[in-house]
Amino acid sequence: DAGVIQSPRHEVTEMGQEVTLRCKPISGHDYLFWYRQTMMRGLELLIYFNNNVPIDDSGMPEDRFSAKMPNASFSTLKIQPSEPRDSAVYFCASSLARAGGYEQFFGPGTRLTVL
Amino acid sequence: RKEVEQDPGPFNVPEGATVAFNCTYSNSASQSFFWYRQDCRKEPKLLMSVYSSGNEDGRFTAQLNRASQYISLLIRDSKLSDSATYPCVVSPLSLATNKLIFGTGTLLAVQP
């Protein structure tokens, strides 16, 4: 089975440009999460969806960040305009809701560099 | 105060050594606990869940102390391949959400 798929794997862009990160969760999973990881702040939850509906976006740093999940098999995280401090690894993860504990499966991440 | 705190390390140990990591969490209502593993430049992966009664998986033993709000991971007979970062992970609520809170991770370096 395919795991969580993210694209692109690497992105280098210039300050002010729009960046779109893409994620395909594991088929059948009903939760999707977007994380950002930096050396300074570790792994931070940005936003998560349940059945394509955003549940908690309190981790989204500011209005420059937006996320959508138009259907169960696709989500995007957009940064517009991008800034050098947005440079990080962005992970997408998915999970299947069940009581008593669960596992989040992470994609390989997108390494973003904003010059 | 961070919701999940752990010593970032690094823990440098020789092959065959036993090493233990601790992690504390601030929300006493937390319901689910996990240890993940993250290799350099890779994604985090679940290592093991942590149950109230403690649980063991081969060389790895995880324990939970609800009264003191900490979880631990013990690795026996360390292998070179155990070198990685180990984030402890807490779920703040039981059934209402699948949200997880990750610690920054403890870096383990097993030396030959």
Side-chain angles (χ1 to χ4, degrees):
Chain A
D1 283 342
V4 175
I5 298 172
Q6 290 187 248
S7 65
R9 294 292 305 276
H10 302 272
E11 177 81 24
V12 180
T13 190
E14 293 188 346
M15 183 173 63
Q17 296 299 304
E18 178 179 296
V19 174
T20 299
L21 311 181
R22 296 173 177 79
C23 175
K24 176 179 170 55
I26 293 172
S27 178
H29 281 191
D30 51 0
Y31 278 84
L32 183 139
F33 305 82
W34 282 101
Y35 291 89
R36 176 174 69 176
Q37 187 171 41
T38 61
M39 288 293 293
M40 293 297 296
R41 301 174 68 90
L43 193 66
E44 302 174 281
L45 177 64
L46 300 177
I47 184 172
Y48 75 96
F49 297 82
N50 177 219
N51 292 322
N52 314 337
V53 176
I55 302 301
D56 183 352
D57 66 354
S58 59
M60 295 286 261
E62 49 198 271
D63 292 346
R64 297 184 298 107
F65 285 69
S66 62
K68 294 182 180 180
M69 192 165 185
N71 58 62
S73 59
F74 183 65
S75 177
T76 60
L77 178 68
K78 187 174 294 187
I79 308 173
Q80 166 62 18
S82 58
E83 296 182 3
R85 61 191 167 123
D86 301 331
S87 297
V89 180
Y90 290 81
F91 289 105
C92 175
S94 70
S95 71
L96 183 62
R98 58 183 175 90
Y102 54 88
E103 177 178 1
Q104 285 188 14
F105 294 83
F106 283 75
T110 295
R111 188 169 296 274
L112 173 65
T113 302
V114 183
L115 303 175
Chain B
R1 182 185 174 187
K2 290 182 180 179
E3 291 189 68
V4 180
E5 294 198 70
Q6 57 184 131
D7 184 342
F11 283 55
N12 295 299
V13 303
E15 273 188 288
T18 295
V19 61
F21 310 140
N22 286 332
C23 164
T24 59
Y25 59 94
S26 60
N27 187 345
S28 59
S30 298
Q31 294 293 328
S32 301
F33 308 89
F34 311 88
W35 284 100
Y36 272 64
R37 171 190 169 131
Q38 187 172 18
D39 291 285
C40 186
R41 302 181 76 85
K42 297 287 189 180
E43 70 273 22
K45 293 182 179 179
L46 179 66
L47 177 66
M48 60 195 302
S49 301
V50 186
Y51 304 119
S52 297
S53 56
N55 48 300
E56 188 174 306
D57 183 1
R59 298 181 293 109
F60 299 83
T61 300
Q63 295 204 315
L64 167 64
N65 185 320
R66 285 190 182 272
S68 301
Q69 293 181 212
Y70 78 81
I71 65 175
S72 64
L73 177 67
L74 182 77
I75 305 175
R76 291 181 298 277
D77 189 23
S78 300
K79 311 291 185 189
L80 293 175
S81 57
D82 293 335
S83 297
T85 298
Y86 292 84
C88 78
V89 183
V90 173
S91 177
L93 295 171
S94 56
L95 303 178
T97 174
N98 274 20
K99 181 177 177 178
L100 297 178
I101 307 297
F102 280 74
T104 54
T106 296
L107 177 61
L108 171 65
V110 181
Q111 314 291 336

